[in-house]
Amino acid sequence: MEKAFGNRSIRILENGPILVKGSLPLAEETMILGADGEPAGWARGEDIKTSETFSLCRCGKTGHAPFCDGTHIKEEFNGTETAPLAIKPEVAEVTKGPALSLADVPCLCAIARFCHRQGDAWTLTEESGDPEKKRVAVESAANCPSGRITAINNETGRTLEPDLAPSIGLIRDTYHHGLGPIWVKGGVPIESASGEGYEARNRVTLCRCGLSENKPLCDGTHLKCRFGKEPDKP
């Protein structure tokens, strides 16, 4: 289904925040863990009140989270973008099973762990002749916020993407007990600081800890720096 974006868009500002236009809905997205202890779904919270245009922190140091408060200037934040504007099809590693194939682009990984559900998504794909394993494989791929993995129906060749409305989620990682990246859904246009457009994608995660080496995309570094995690008690 073609989505109407109107004036909804996102722009990465040079060494600064993420500028959001068009009153895009913003809410916290909390991981739901399954019986095996791995992420199995999402719970979206109530929409956070915003203006028509707002800025989300990208340096990880704001005192007014999730919004930018100008701290990036004092911190001399280096937000240099190194991620590719588009992913070449040949980059995807494809796992084939009897009913499904799984396209995997490792450089998009945000370590959300939905691919670990009931073993792993690659094994489930290889055993997708079993209807239940096929179902879980499709759900696991669809729940991956970064879009690293995508399930494909072998019979029709159709990519099995979830129908996501244009919106932004602030990930709360209940598996790692901290905060994750900014989850942009529904193919919202994202523009680089240089004015070039990133490939339109249904699912993409943007760094908000400030330390990703694949900016503006998340690369899972928020786990190493314990972003948003409560300090260990003595």
Side-chain angles (χ1 to χ4, degrees), residues 99-101 134 138-139 141-142 149-154 156-163 202-203:
L100 295 175
S101 293
K134 175 184 176 182
V138 171
E139 283 188 2
I149 55 174
T150 304
I152 302 166
N153 184 305
N154 286 345
T156 64
R158 185 169 66 92
T159 299
L160 303 176
E161 274 291 322
D163 185 16
N202 192 36
R203 297 171 282 148

Side-chain angles (χ1 to χ4, degrees), residues 58-89:
R58 194 161 67 100
C59 74
K61 302 289 182 64
T62 182
H64 186 45
F67 304 105
C68 172
D69 66 357
T71 300
H72 60 278
I73 299 172
K74 180 179 69 175
E75 295 288 331
E76 297 183 346
F77 170 61
N78 182 358
T80 302
E81 297 167 63
T82 57
L85 292 172
I87 302 298
K88 296 180 180 179

Side-chain angles (χ1 to χ4, degrees), residues 129-142:
D130 180 317
E132 176 61 13
K133 291 182 178 181
K134 175 184 176 182
R135 181 188 69 80
V136 176
V138 171
E139 283 188 2
S140 298

Side-chain angles (χ1 to χ4, degrees), residues 3-9 21-24 52 166 188-189:
K3 295 180 171 64
F5 293 105
N7 63 343
R8 290 176 168 179
S9 65
K21 295 183 177 181
S23 301
L24 271 167
E52 191 274 339
V188 177

Side-chain angles (χ1 to χ4, degrees), residues 193-212:
S194 66
E196 297 177 278
Y198 282 94
E199 174 185 23
R201 297 175 50 231
N202 192 36
R203 297 171 282 148
V204 62
T205 47
L206 303 178
C207 173
R208 66 166 165 158
C209 74
L211 298 175
S212 171

